[in-house]
Amino acid sequence: LRKAKLGFESKISTKKLEWKRGRIEEWRKKQWSVKCTAEGIDGGMFVGGRGRENGIVVSIPERYKVVLLLACVMCLCNADRVVMSVAIVPLAAKHGWSSSFLGIVQSSFLWGYIFSSVIGGALVDRYGGKRVLAWGVLLWSLATLLTPLAANHSTMALLAIRAFFGLAEGVALPSMSTLLSRWFPNNERATAFGISMAGFHIGNVIGLLITPIMLSTIGIFGPFILFTSIGLLWAMTWSYQVTDDPLESNFISRSELRLIQSGKTASPKKSNNKFPPLGLILSKLPSWAIIFANATNNWGYFVLLSWMPVYFKSVYNVNLKQAAWFSAVPWATMAISGYLAGTASDFLINAGYQTTFVRKFMQTIGFIGPAMTLICLNYANTPTMAATLLTAALSLSSFSQAGFMLNIQDIAPQYAGILHGISNSAGTLAAIISTIGTGDQVF
């Protein structure tokens, strides 16, 4: 009876939404149409519908707006992390922190992140990505604002607020992955993922370039206040514009909705189970392949993310601003290569190659390429050569985005959030070990 009732209500709800969207489109035509006369030619132009009198249609598909907002929040997510990687240099000089303690501070973000990945993934599967991501942004923006205050208060307060920051940011990737799977057809998903992750990598560039300038002009509080304000602005826009599923959107057109639905083999829904079937998920070999791939990927990624500015300053004796520029170039290139990897992946799938083959091919590039270039980094003797090799390593590693990261949705669409969270936790554990170990042994 329950299933029959839910199915009946779903059909009625869908019809109501389609009727409502039709009414909204008619209202837009009436309200937003504009008459314009130029050189004796009278034409109508409006946004979001069909022109009445030889009009020009200006319309952005809703799924593009969703991926743009996701790219923006992923940019903010990484920029907030990188601020501390740069600000830790003047903070260490001010408070007299040792190199070993710097590794502990850098890894404290991961202490909270390792727990929230699983919890956040389960919340996303149950409640959807919109609400979970909005709360995550609000909480990590608050933690960003409190970071310099905590550093001035005590080291324990700083470690606690950084762990809370990681706890809030752990929901970002599972939310992004689930939302993209619902808003994009299968043959566009890799490109959409590449765009979102391009924002993630550009966040490194923005954080590395803006933070030193603001530290030298405004002071230690400048970059933290800036990124907090951006987070609050994004959260307000997100809450109004986006829904968990395109079927729930009041702004999407019927033609775009049909395109999304026809391009999916199955549409993942929010889980109604109280607990996800962890035993079933962990009994599958592909799940463990994704978990180990995430751990391997994060081992190298977080070492470079946390230590690259300090690496250039310590090994090549460049100042903080120069170190920021050398560190920013690899991340900027990674944003471009990640998008290209996603586009290439979708092209191969549309050309008839099996999805499994494409995922494995991209993952092979994402692991073998960085391994070879990082071995060569041992022989670099100038900062320019080191930056070139690091750029090649990170560019090739971005192919993993079209590998194991997308494979999560391929094998477990309904429980993608919790599987993403489990693999992220394994990757975070690897990142903690590698980040602390780098601080102890290298610097």
Side-chain angles (χ1 to χ4, degrees):
L1 288 175
R2 183 180 299 172
K3 289 183 180 179
K5 183 178 179 182
L6 287 173
F8 174 75
E9 289 176 347
S10 176
K11 292 178 182 178
I12 297 299
S13 178
T14 301
K15 290 181 180 179
K16 285 183 178 179
L17 285 170
E18 290 181 353
W19 176 84
K20 191 175 182 181
R21 276 192 289 270
R23 297 287 295 173
I24 289 174
E25 288 179 3
E26 291 179 6
W27 178 84
R28 283 178 176 173
K29 291 178 183 180
K30 293 178 181 179
Q31 297 295 325
W32 292 2
S33 60
V34 179
K35 291 283 187 177
C36 59
T37 304
E39 299 180 358
I41 300 175
D42 186 17
M45 181 179 70
F46 61 94
V47 179
R50 186 184 299 277
R52 291 178 182 174
E53 301 173 7
N54 300 322
I56 301 174
V57 177
V58 180
S59 179
I60 301 176
E62 285 302 310
R63 67 188 188 280
Y64 294 168
K65 297 177 185 177
V66 172
V67 76
L68 179 61
L69 284 170
L70 286 172
C72 289
V73 78
M74 297 310 293
C75 177
L76 177 67
C77 175
N78 233 15
D80 283 344
R81 296 184 195 180
V82 173
V83 168
M84 193 59 184
S85 297
V86 179
I88 198 170
V89 176
L91 283 173
K94 178 180 178 180
H95 297 287
W97 295 337
S98 65
S99 296
S100 297
F101 183 72
L102 291 185
I104 296 174
V105 173
Q106 295 283 48
S107 68
S108 59
F109 156 81
L110 301 170
W111 303 348
Y113 192 80
I114 193 172
F115 294 107
S116 65
S117 296
V118 177
I119 298 172
L123 289 174
V124 168
D125 287 338
R126 183 167 176 81
Y127 298 107
K130 175 187 176 180
R131 192 186 312 175
V132 175
L133 185 56
W135 275 106
V137 172
L138 291 174
L139 291 175
W140 90 54
S141 296
L142 174 63
T144 300
L145 182 65
L146 295 177
T147 296
L149 295 172
N152 290 333
H153 184 268
S154 67
T155 55
M156 291 302 298
L158 175 62
L159 296 178
I161 203 66
R162 294 298 294 172
F164 177 75
F165 174 75
L167 191 69
E169 278 211 349
V171 304
L173 284 174
S175 298
M176 179 199 73
S177 179
T178 300
L179 285 164
L180 290 178
S181 71
R182 291 175 178 166
W183 273 93
F184 282 84
N186 293 342
N187 63 337
E188 294 181 2
R189 192 152 48 88
T191 302
F193 199 93
I195 293 172
S196 299
M197 292 302 293
F200 188 75
H201 303 311
I202 290 173
N204 288 327
V205 179
I206 292 174
L208 288 168
L209 296 182
I210 291 180
T211 303
I213 297 173
M214 299 195 74
L215 288 174
S216 60
T217 55
I218 301 176
I220 196 69
F221 286 91
F224 294 97
I225 294 175
L226 172 66
F227 291 117
T228 298
S229 303
I230 295 174
L232 296 177
L233 179 63
W234 181 91
M236 290 188 292
T237 305
W238 175 261
S239 299
Y240 169 74
Q241 187 69 36
V242 176
T243 59
D244 284 312
D245 194 285
L247 282 171
E248 302 168 357
S249 175
N250 292 328
F251 302 104
I252 192 171
S253 65
R254 279 170 283 189
S255 60
E256 184 182 6
L257 184 60
R258 286 194 297 268
L259 185 149
I260 294 172
Q261 291 178 320
S262 63
K264 293 182 180 180
T265 54
S267 181
K269 301 298 182 181
K270 289 181 280 189
S271 174
N272 293 320
N273 295 333
K274 192 170 184 180
F275 297 103
L278 293 178
L280 178 62
I281 293 173
L282 296 178
S283 67
K284 304 298 182 182
L285 187 60
S287 298
W288 284 103
I290 289 172
I291 291 170
F292 281 113
N294 202 325
T296 305
N297 182 77
N298 279 18
W299 181 283
Y301 182 89
F302 276 92
V303 166
L304 298 179
L305 178 65
S306 300
W307 290 110
M308 203 183 295
V310 183
Y311 166 77
F312 281 106
K313 186 177 185 302
S314 302
V315 176
Y316 298 104
N317 198 29
V318 299
N319 62 44
L320 190 59
K321 288 185 179 180
Q322 288 176 320
W325 277 102
F326 278 119
S327 304
V329 172
W331 300 113
T333 310
M334 190 178 186
I336 299 172
S337 63
Y339 170 75
L340 294 177
T343 304
S345 180
D346 283 338
F347 174 80
L348 290 174
I349 291 174
N350 289 328
Y353 289 91
Q354 290 186 353
T355 302
T356 303
F357 168 78
V358 174
R359 300 287 186 254
K360 290 179 178 179
F361 178 69
M362 294 295 170
Q363 190 58 56
T364 301
I365 298 175
F367 275 172
I368 301 299
M372 300 301 295
T373 51
L374 289 176
I375 289 174
C376 295
L377 184 63
N378 289 310
Y379 305 100
N381 50 23
T382 65
T384 302
M385 184 181 296
T388 301
L389 290 170
L390 286 169
T391 298
L394 287 172
S395 298
L396 293 170
S397 72
S398 66
F399 279 72
S400 293
Q401 296 169 190
F404 79 88
M405 289 186 180
L406 280 174
N407 193 231
I408 294 173
Q409 288 289 343
D410 295 333
I411 68 170
Q414 188 175 3
Y415 299 107
I418 187 64
L419 179 55
H420 204 138
I422 293 170
S423 65
N424 254 7
S425 294
T428 303
L429 180 60
I432 291 173
I433 298 171
S434 63
T435 303
I436 295 177
T438 302
D440 285 337
Q441 297 179 20
V442 179
F443 304 109

